[in-house]
Amino acid sequence: DGGITQSPKYLFRKEGQNVTLSCEQNLNHDAMYWYRQDPGQGLRLIYYSQIVNDFQKGDIAEGYSVSREKKESFPLTVTSAQKNPTAFYLCASSKELWQGTYEQYFGPGTRLTVT
Amino acid sequence: AQSVTQLDSHVSVSEGTPVLLRCNYSSSYSPSLFWYVQHPNKGLQLLLKYTSAATLVKGINGFEAEFKKSETSFHLTKPSAHMSDAAEYFCVVSAGTTSGTYKYIFGTGTRLKVLA
């Protein structure tokens, strides 16, 4: 059963702590993406990756970091430098990077609450 | 510059009546356009996509959309709403730029409410 998994579904952290969100895909896609979703704002791009060991900043990368050591995995770390980390985080993948005709496949999301 | 505008943040329909969710886009190049649906606390699921083939695109769950270049629109429709259609819907445009890259631009979403 191919798809994208994200874990955990809900995550609670204290302010000042770093936290890592997991994203795994078994679709054999080259490209992976991280988005942040806030109410009424649509999706905003945090980071994206075209291939293993390569990734680029998106529109709102400050306070976040990623790695791409394996094709299947693209974890996102929310650092203490991120001023408003409470949000719903979505991971996505596509066959190729930004190839307009290829749709993105999304994981179920992780809701992060920082207090 | 590319952009996408979803004209209604909330739409309410009665079960069994037609659904119309409106989307306008702006793109300097021929765009690809997508509609996604998101149920509460879930990821996004692709409903349909337009990639310069037939202008009337049929998707899953009885949804369809028509690409109208002259109106720069890609409205989503369904003849008869079902309670399970209640969700948030996102229109997305993907178009090339002069630098040879693409980017997906998401609309801010339309929340569909279906009344019994």
Side-chain angles (χ1 to χ4, degrees), chain A residues 9-10 33 35 37 40-43 45 59 88 90 94 98-104 106-108 111, chain B residues 32 34 36 38 40-46 49 51 88 90 94-95 101-104 106-109:
Chain A
K9 187 172 176 66
Y10 297 95
Y33 315 79
Y35 291 93
Q37 186 176 25
Q41 293 195 43
L43 274 66
L45 181 66
D59 301 317
F88 191 52
L90 287 161
S94 64
W98 296 139
Q99 183 50 254
T101 56
Y102 291 124
E103 64 269 29
Q104 293 183 319
F106 285 83
R111 185 165 297 282
Chain B
S32 293
F34 309 82
Y36 286 86
Q38 183 181 32
N41 291 309
K42 303 284 188 188
L44 278 68
Q45 179 186 16
L46 181 71
K49 67 178 182 181
T51 56
E88 188 146 26
F90 291 94
S94 170
T101 61
Y102 287 79
K103 193 171 181 182
Y104 298 104
F106 287 79
T108 52

Side-chain angles (χ1 to χ4, degrees), chain B residues 12-23:
Chain B
S12 290
V13 300
S14 297
E15 190 176 20
T17 64
V19 176
L20 169 64
L21 305 182
R22 299 182 294 165
C23 173

Side-chain angles (χ1 to χ4, degrees), chain A residues 5 7 22 32 39 42 45-46 48 56 66 69 72-73 75-76 79 83 85 90 94 97 99 105 113:
Chain A
T5 56
S7 61
S22 167
M32 297 188 75
L45 181 66
I46 305 172
Y48 60 96
Q56 304 294 329
V66 293
E69 296 176 2
E72 304 78 25
S73 178
L76 172 75
T79 75
K83 303 220 181 303
L90 287 161
S94 64
L97 182 71
Q99 183 50 254
Y105 291 77
T113 303

Side-chain angles (χ1 to χ4, degrees), chain A residues 33-111:
Chain A
Y33 315 79
W34 273 106
Y35 291 93
R36 171 183 171 135
Q37 186 176 25
D38 297 281
Q41 293 195 43
L43 274 66
R44 292 184 290 167
L45 181 66
I46 305 172
Y47 268 97
Y48 60 96
S49 167
Q50 183 174 8
I51 55 172
V52 173
N53 293 323
D54 179 72
F55 47 83
Q56 304 294 329
K57 292 182 179 180
D59 301 317
I60 56 164
E62 186 176 346
Y64 300 97
S65 66
V66 293
S67 63
R68 186 92 186 271
E69 296 176 2
K70 297 187 300 181
K71 185 175 183 177
E72 304 78 25
S73 178
F74 191 41
L76 172 75
T77 296
V78 184
T79 75
S80 56
Q82 168 50 232
K83 303 220 181 303
N84 275 317
T86 294
F88 191 52
Y89 290 88
L90 287 161
C91 179
S93 71
S94 64
K95 189 173 179 182
E96 294 178 19
L97 182 71
W98 296 139
Q99 183 50 254
T101 56
Y102 291 124
E103 64 269 29
Q104 293 183 319
Y105 291 77
F106 285 83
T110 292
R111 185 165 297 282

